[in-house]
Amino acid sequence: MTFDLDIGSATVSRLLAAIASDQPAPGAGAAGAVALALGLACARKAVRISGRHHPTSALLPAVDDRLAALTDEAMERGQQDARRFTALVKAMQLPDVDAGQTAARDTTMADAEAAVRSNTVR
């Protein structure tokens, strides 16, 4: 099981198919990131249209830049979420027949869980 879809460059139909697939990722994190990015794109459109009506505004270009940065961050976090969740699922599938395997599995799972949690925006 690997995750190799670039959610930022995937077509909408490919992304929808991937989210609806039986694979663990992409999932809700990627879907949420794309939804956020679409909302931010709408906000950027409003800012840019406002800029045509207020060409001397110093605030509007700064707002547009911030919205662009938030869009990039949302998409990167969506990509990270898919990769990290895939790693967590792989860790959950490691063998745990004996004490050594159980310890290795638990460590790998704890690392993967921490990585997934670190992707959460606070």
Side-chain angles (χ1 to χ4, degrees):
M1 166 191 339
T2 60
F3 176 77
D4 59 359
L5 177 69
D6 179 355
I7 65 171
S9 64
T11 63
V12 173
S13 60
R14 182 161 185 230
L15 182 60
L16 292 173
I19 290 170
S21 76
D22 64 352
Q23 296 301 303
V34 171
L36 176 58
L38 288 169
L40 290 165
C42 291
R44 289 187 74 196
K45 179 182 279 295
V47 167
R48 289 173 172 189
I49 290 170
S50 295
R52 285 198 320 237
H53 299 286
H54 305 282
T56 60
S57 171
L59 177 62
L60 293 174
V63 170
D64 186 50
D65 289 346
R66 180 65 179 136
L67 292 171
L70 289 170
T71 301
D72 292 344
E73 182 179 357
M75 294 302 291
E76 178 58 30
R77 286 180 179 262
Q79 192 73 41
Q80 288 174 0
D81 179 76
R83 283 192 206 108
R84 291 173 177 174
F85 190 73
T86 298
L88 175 61
V89 170
K90 284 182 181 179
M92 293 169 67
Q93 295 171 343
L94 292 173
D96 64 347
V97 175
D98 61 43
Q101 287 177 330
T102 299
R105 178 180 183 262
D106 291 348
T107 299
T108 303
M109 282 183 55
D111 292 345
E113 287 172 359
V116 168
R117 275 195 220 87
S118 73
N119 202 39
T120 303
V121 178
R122 290 170 185 54

